[in-house]
Amino acid sequence: HSASPIDFLLPGGRALLPAAGLAGRGRCAAAADVLAEWGPPGGDGGSRRRFWSCISGRRRLMAATELRGVVGPGPAARAPPAGGSGAGGSGSAREGWLLKWTNYIKGYQRRWFVLSNGLLSYYRSKAEMRHTCRGTINLATANITVEDSCNFIISNGGAQTYHLKASSEVERQRWVTALELAKAKAVKMLAESDESGDEESVSQTDKTELQNTLRTLSSKVEDLSTCNDLIAKHGTALQRSLSELESLRLPAESNEKIKQVNERATLFRITSNAMINACRDFLVLAQTHSKKWQKSLQYERDQRIRLEETLEQLAKQHNHLERAFRGATVLPANAPGGAASGKGQCCSGKGDMSDEDDENEFFDAPEIITMPENLGHKRTGSNISGASSDISLDEQYKHQLEETKKEKRTRIPYKPNYSLNLWSIMKNCIGKELSKIPMPVNFNEPLSMLQRLTEDLEYHELLDRAAKCENSLEQLCYVAAFTVSSYSTTVFRTSKPFNPLLGETFELDRLEENGYRSLCEQVSHHPPAAAHHAESKNGWTLRQEIKITSKFRGKYLSIMPLGSIHCIFHATGRHYTWKKVTTTVHNIIVGKLWIDQSGEIDIVNHKTGDKCNLKFVPYSYFSRDVARKVTGEVTDPSGKVHFALLGTWDEKMECFKVQPVIGENGGDTRQRGHEAEESRVMLWKRNPLPKNAENMYYFSELALTLNAWEAGTAPTDSRLRPDQRLMENGRWDEANAEKQRLEEKQRLSRKKREAEAVKATEDGTPYDPYKALWFERKKDPVTKELTHIYRGGYWECKEKQDWSSCPDIF
């Protein structure tokens, strides 16, 4: 081998390495591993074996380890022999067999490891990669430790630790090098992803900076090439000088030292060539991929900016068209036919009302209901009277308290027209919990969620009729109709109710007029939860705890009520439970807002086992069914259907008795709905909306009365909430400021409770978390769920006018 030079190439045919200056086995040690992996041009396996035969193992390992750290594994590593390891053909950085420590009984077990995208995964066999992964560790947070010649450890801080053993020291070094490179890439990608998460757009400055970076890289590579030429020049001179020294007659020990220096010089030259080539490859890849990625990223960001601009423009155009349309069509209240047209719009039916807009421009009402200033409560230290003075309007619009007591109010101030850039607020709310988004009152209606919950009792007479039914199946039909009726008030109510403050309450005392009274309390803030208890002297009790979860998805808003509703009839002890369906508000950004209900409700009689299944059919443009359709079946414990229900959740519900008829094959079949039309019984029909309801948030007759001021209520009652009262009276700017004040006050109270809890924990003293005032959290005896049940005492405190236990929340 020393007689004839051996020329071979590194990857890409760039580095020509003459071996003329190498002597014996030592001369070949510097290039041994390169030849083993890459081979001579046109060489075969035989030439590799002949070349390997003249290389000593220790020097070969030394040269291989040094070179592989710079050049990386060659084709031999990418196509390992059977039982070896290397880079996989599926895009993985490396894959192959390693021994993994399992336990003290089984010891090390052979596993197939795959390194890809900064993750190290392992399988029991290569075939198992298709379906089952036995474990994965993220290298971005992992530590790689070498134990000895073949063993190494990968750990991510204690949660996962892999004790691994390679087949040889060379194999271990290959794995460790690949793992370190993968870890560096993973850490860099993680940092880049964190930095790019908040980027909005790429500016011209970013492009210029990228081009400057590439130019700097190019100049550095050119500097390295110059250095390489100098190194090669001086290296050749050094080898020439060393060869001349070899020809001199020197002691044997000196010749051996000269040979070692010659080998080191050759190795240094090979390494410098490899480094230059690697740098050149890196620059080419950086230029190619950075341009491609930059182009793709710029395209996506341009698309996003265009989409946002388009949506904002559409929203503005839609708002402008609505205002122009209203200015051309809405008549003043005193114009001929104005009242009639308003009545027709409100009461003409479902088809016409769905085309009415409820968003922007309305005329102010000539009459304003205000809260008197000179009335208060027995508890001291509250700022209710101060809030009352801020809320009162001009004297000419005031009503006497006696008139308010005599009759329920039938109107509220008309919804004013305030322009608002909807998209500028909503585009930052996509995917967030709605209750955690600070929203202006422009999106609200002047009622709280507690008052909306009380609206379920608008058709309380259905429960009065149900209490008189002796047949449990007939009773279940009325309960089902009551369940559906609670959604009729939402058909045009696209505005959001106020989120109640923690501890806020709302009472509705209709014991004299309608025989029932109701109490709601906000028992939790995050997640929002309200408890409701209503009791009637006509023989029924209704209670519920509802947690509202909602998500804004950009095009629509989904509202998911969680919790069970209980209805108990006193005379028979029948206990019914059911849950609410999902409410969806469509066309949040562009188009007319509309509401749909979808899902199923199962009403269960826990005493008899009877059930009613109600199906709320979601609206579809391609369906021929009537919109807002609801169907249902009432079954006994054996599953036999006795009654069928049919209707819509915004208009009416009917039922008919299912009569079995003999089929063609002699079996029983149920009578279909359209065949029993003459035998249908009207269970419930929606009451018409009040006159000019479209100008009053589409409130029903009951909803118009809910926020009317009443004497003697608790200081935490929703009627006394100042931001809600200001909004009802049309003073939205003041309402927004007041809303922020109340929310900040609530945040401070929460932080104070959290600080007290931390201090109690540190001191080792007991700490009682927040508890509702009028409701107690306990396990429901029927559903076994933890829920808030009315503990009593509210109406007794009202009779005494003793509100000393109420918190100051307003």
Side-chain angles (χ1 to χ4, degrees):
H1 289 76
S2 60
S4 60
I6 302 171
D7 295 334
F8 58 93
L9 297 173
L10 282 177
R14 290 183 301 275
L16 184 64
L17 304 177
L22 302 181
R25 295 189 180 185
R27 275 192 299 229
C28 301
D33 192 60
V34 178
L35 182 63
E37 293 194 8
W38 298 101
D44 55 8
S47 63
R48 293 189 185 185
R49 286 191 294 272
R50 289 192 299 273
F51 189 80
W52 272 109
S53 64
C54 66
I55 303 301
S56 63
R58 181 173 296 180
R59 290 184 177 178
R60 182 174 61 200
L61 178 61
M62 176 189 69
T65 303
E66 291 185 8
L67 276 178
R68 189 172 289 109
V70 178
V71 183
R78 286 196 288 267
S85 62
S90 60
S92 58
R94 188 171 186 81
E95 60 182 30
W97 292 106
L98 289 172
L99 296 176
K100 179 181 180 295
W101 175 263
T102 55
N103 52 52
Y104 286 100
I105 298 176
K106 295 184 178 180
Y108 282 97
Q109 296 292 319
R110 195 165 176 256
R111 296 288 183 262
W112 182 262
F113 279 80
V114 176
L115 174 61
S116 178
N117 298 325
L119 301 175
L120 180 65
S121 307
Y122 73 92
Y123 312 83
R124 287 186 177 176
S125 64
K126 189 174 181 179
E128 202 179 50
M129 291 174 60
R130 300 178 180 177
H131 50 82
T132 305
C133 179
R134 299 292 173 176
T136 301
I137 190 168
N138 189 351
L139 296 178
T141 57
N143 294 320
I144 304 168
T145 308
V146 177
E147 279 193 314
D148 52 31
S149 60
C150 296
N151 291 43
F152 59 101
I153 300 173
I154 304 175
S155 174
N156 63 356
Q160 290 175 292
T161 302
Y162 293 171
H163 294 265
L164 306 176
K165 179 186 287 187
S167 58
S168 65
E169 187 175 357
V170 175
E171 185 69 12
R172 187 262 299 160
Q173 184 60 34
R174 287 175 176 173
W175 271 104
V176 170
T177 303
L179 289 168
E180 291 287 359
L181 289 173
K183 177 183 177 180
K185 291 180 181 178
V187 171
K188 184 178 180 182
M189 290 176 63
L190 184 63
E192 288 177 352
S193 64
D194 291 341
E195 292 173 0
S196 63
D198 298 328
E199 291 182 359
E200 291 295 330
S201 61
V202 177
S203 63
Q204 190 65 30
T205 306
D206 298 327
K207 297 178 182 177
T208 306
E209 184 179 354
L210 180 63
Q211 293 171 358
N212 292 335
T213 303
L214 290 175
R215 280 196 295 268
T216 304
L217 283 174
S218 300
S219 64
K220 294 298 182 183
V221 172
E222 290 176 1
D223 294 343
L224 287 173
S225 298
T226 305
C227 294
N228 177 64
D229 295 338
L230 292 173
I231 290 171
K233 178 181 177 181
H234 295 300
T236 303
L238 178 61
Q239 286 180 349
R240 190 182 306 114
S241 300
L242 291 172
S243 299
E244 292 173 356
L245 284 175
E246 285 182 358
S247 63
L248 297 176
R249 293 181 180 181
L250 297 174
E253 184 179 354
S254 300
N255 289 333
E256 185 66 25
K257 292 292 184 181
I258 291 172
K259 290 177 182 179
Q260 290 181 6
V261 173
N262 198 359
E263 291 171 5
R264 287 294 179 180
T266 304
L267 182 60
F268 179 71
R269 185 180 177 185
I270 293 172
T271 305
S272 64
N273 286 333
M275 181 181 65
I276 294 298
N277 293 328
C279 291
R280 187 177 288 111
D281 288 342
F282 167 75
L283 180 61
V284 171
L285 285 173
Q287 289 175 334
T288 304
H289 291 286
S290 65
K291 289 179 181 178
K292 182 177 67 175
W293 293 335
Q294 186 68 24
K295 185 177 180 181
S296 300
L297 186 61
Q298 182 63 33
Y299 174 77
E300 294 297 332
R301 284 171 171 163
D302 289 344
Q303 287 289 91
R304 175 185 173 184
I305 292 173
R306 280 195 292 270
L307 179 60
E308 289 185 358
E309 291 174 351
T310 303
L311 284 174
E312 187 171 6
Q313 190 64 25
L314 285 172
K316 290 179 179 178
Q317 292 176 0
H318 182 74
N319 185 42
H320 177 72
L321 289 173
E322 284 180 346
R323 299 169 89 177
F325 173 75
R326 288 188 174 278
T329 57
V330 177
L331 296 177
N334 57 356
S341 63
K343 183 177 180 179
Q345 289 177 353
C346 292
C347 309
S348 58
K350 175 175 56 180
D352 294 335
M353 291 176 66
S354 63
D355 294 331
E356 285 295 317
D357 195 279
D358 57 348
E359 189 58 31
N360 286 314
E361 187 168 10
F362 301 110
F363 294 96
D364 290 337
E367 298 178 16
I368 304 294
I369 307 297
T370 62
M371 185 174 70
E373 301 180 25
N374 53 355
L375 295 177
H377 298 282
K378 288 187 177 180
R379 70 180 287 269
T380 60
S382 72
N383 58 351
I384 297 172
S385 60
S388 303
S389 61
D390 291 338
I391 292 168
S392 58
L393 298 179
D394 297 337
E395 291 294 331
Q396 58 180 332
Y397 294 119
K398 286 189 176 180
H399 284 259
Q400 295 297 327
L401 178 61
E402 292 76 10
E403 293 180 4
T404 306
K405 285 184 176 180
K406 289 179 183 178
E407 58 182 45
K408 304 297 180 184
R409 69 177 184 178
T410 58
R411 64 187 307 153
I412 60 173
Y414 283 4
K415 180 180 180 180
N417 174 38
Y418 287 120
S419 61
L420 180 70
N421 189 341
L422 180 67
W423 175 244
S424 64
I425 296 175
M426 287 306 218
K427 69 178 180 181
N428 295 320
C429 304
I430 297 175
K432 295 182 181 179
E433 171 68 31
L434 191 66
S435 62
K436 297 181 181 180
I437 300 173
M439 304 288 282
V441 300
N442 305 55
F443 296 100
N444 288 27
E445 62 181 18
L447 289 179
S448 75
M449 192 63 208
L450 302 180
Q451 292 165 316
R452 284 289 289 266
L453 206 58
T454 307
E455 282 190 71
D456 288 354
L457 298 172
E458 177 153 4
Y459 299 94
H460 61 88
E461 62 271 9
L462 292 171
L463 296 181
D464 295 342
R465 285 186 233 161
K468 299 176 182 178
C469 291
E470 297 181 0
N471 186 302
S472 62
L473 296 170
E474 293 179 3
Q475 188 178 68
L476 186 52
C477 291
Y478 282 106
V479 174
F482 173 79
T483 302
V484 176
S485 71
S486 63
Y487 295 98
S488 64
T489 60
T490 67
V491 60
F492 303 117
R493 302 271 290 278
T494 54
S495 298
K496 173 183 173 291
F498 278 80
N499 289 330
L501 303 173
L502 186 62
E504 186 174 334
T505 60
F506 179 73
E507 66 158 78
L508 186 65
D509 189 353
R510 297 292 171 88
L511 204 58
E512 294 182 3
E513 302 97 316
N514 306 117
Y516 73 88
R517 58 187 179 184
S518 162
L519 175 67
C520 292
E521 181 180 2
Q522 186 76 0
V523 296
S524 174
H525 185 59
H526 284 306
H532 180 207
H533 179 89
E535 192 165 357
S536 172
K537 64 183 181 182
N538 294 325
W540 54 265
T541 297
L542 185 77
R543 60 179 174 85
Q544 58 183 318
E545 180 184 350
I546 298 297
K547 299 180 180 66
I548 300 295
T549 61
S550 53
K551 287 292 183 181
F552 175 58
R553 301 298 186 185
K555 188 177 180 181
Y556 63 91
L557 171 69
S558 295
I559 303 169
M560 294 79 71
L562 306 176
S564 299
I565 304 172
H566 299 254
C567 183
I568 304 101
F569 293 98
H570 306 161
T572 60
R574 294 170 186 153
H575 191 140
Y576 298 88
T577 63
W578 66 92
K579 296 179 183 292
K580 289 180 175 287
V581 295
T582 299
T583 300
T584 306
V585 184
H586 295 270
N587 293 342
I588 294 293
I589 301 298
V590 177
K592 175 174 174 55
L593 293 172
W594 60 279
I595 290 180
D596 196 19
Q597 316 286 348
S598 59
E600 294 189 17
I601 295 179
D602 288 317
I603 308 173
V604 181
N605 184 339
H606 292 274
K607 184 175 183 180
T608 63
D610 302 333
K611 292 183 180 180
C612 176
N613 175 258
L614 293 172
K615 294 182 180 179
F616 288 68
V617 181
Y619 176 77
S620 172
Y621 290 103
F622 306 103
S623 175
R624 295 183 179 180
D625 281 336
V626 62
R628 312 180 184 104
K629 182 179 179 181
V630 180
T631 61
E633 292 180 342
V634 175
T635 60
D636 59 20
S638 66
K640 181 180 178 182
V641 179
H642 291 265
F643 290 94
L645 293 87
L646 184 66
T648 58
W649 53 264
D650 66 321
E651 282 290 339
K652 62 180 180 179
M653 285 297 294
E654 298 174 327
C655 78
F656 59 90
K657 193 172 182 62
V658 175
Q659 301 290 347
V661 296
I662 304 300
E664 296 178 359
N665 56 359
D668 289 349
T669 60
R670 280 186 285 151
Q671 190 173 3
R672 289 178 296 181
H674 65 84
E675 296 174 347
E677 193 167 346
E678 67 282 353
S679 62
R680 293 183 185 179
V681 175
M682 179 71 71
L683 295 173
W684 159 77
K685 187 175 182 180
R686 180 174 64 92
N687 296 328
L689 287 174
K691 179 182 177 181
N692 295 325
E694 71 276 12
N695 295 343
M696 298 182 291
Y697 308 90
Y698 285 99
F699 281 178
S700 63
E701 290 183 357
L702 175 64
L704 288 173
T705 66
L706 292 180
N707 207 42
W709 189 88
E710 292 185 11
T713 59
T716 55
D717 196 89
S718 298
R719 299 176 180 89
L720 303 176
R721 181 167 173 166
D723 55 345
Q724 187 173 303
R725 181 67 62 183
L726 285 165
M727 186 205 170
E728 181 183 275
N729 290 335
R731 298 161 65 175
W732 284 15
D733 291 338
E734 298 172 58
N736 278 319
E738 191 66 20
K739 183 172 181 287
Q740 292 181 6
R741 182 189 68 82
L742 292 175
E743 290 173 349
E744 182 61 28
K745 183 176 182 180
Q746 182 171 236
R747 277 191 288 270
L748 293 175
S749 299
R750 187 190 73 244
K751 290 179 180 178
K752 182 180 178 181
R753 288 194 301 270
E754 292 173 351
E756 291 174 353
V758 172
K759 187 176 185 301
T761 304
E762 293 175 351
D763 298 342
T765 57
Y767 174 75
D768 293 330
Y770 177 83
K771 293 181 180 179
L773 185 59
W774 310 110
F775 289 81
E776 181 180 6
R777 194 166 188 257
K778 61 174 70 174
K779 182 180 287 188
D780 187 89
V782 175
T783 63
K784 308 303 181 185
E785 299 174 347
L786 279 175
T787 185
H788 283 83
I789 299 177
Y790 179 59
R791 71 172 77 203
Y794 178 87
W795 303 107
E796 292 78 6
C797 288
K798 181 180 180 181
E799 185 177 353
K800 299 175 185 177
Q801 282 297 289
D802 179 14
W803 303 115
S804 57
S805 59
C806 292
D808 177 16
I809 60 174
F810 298 142

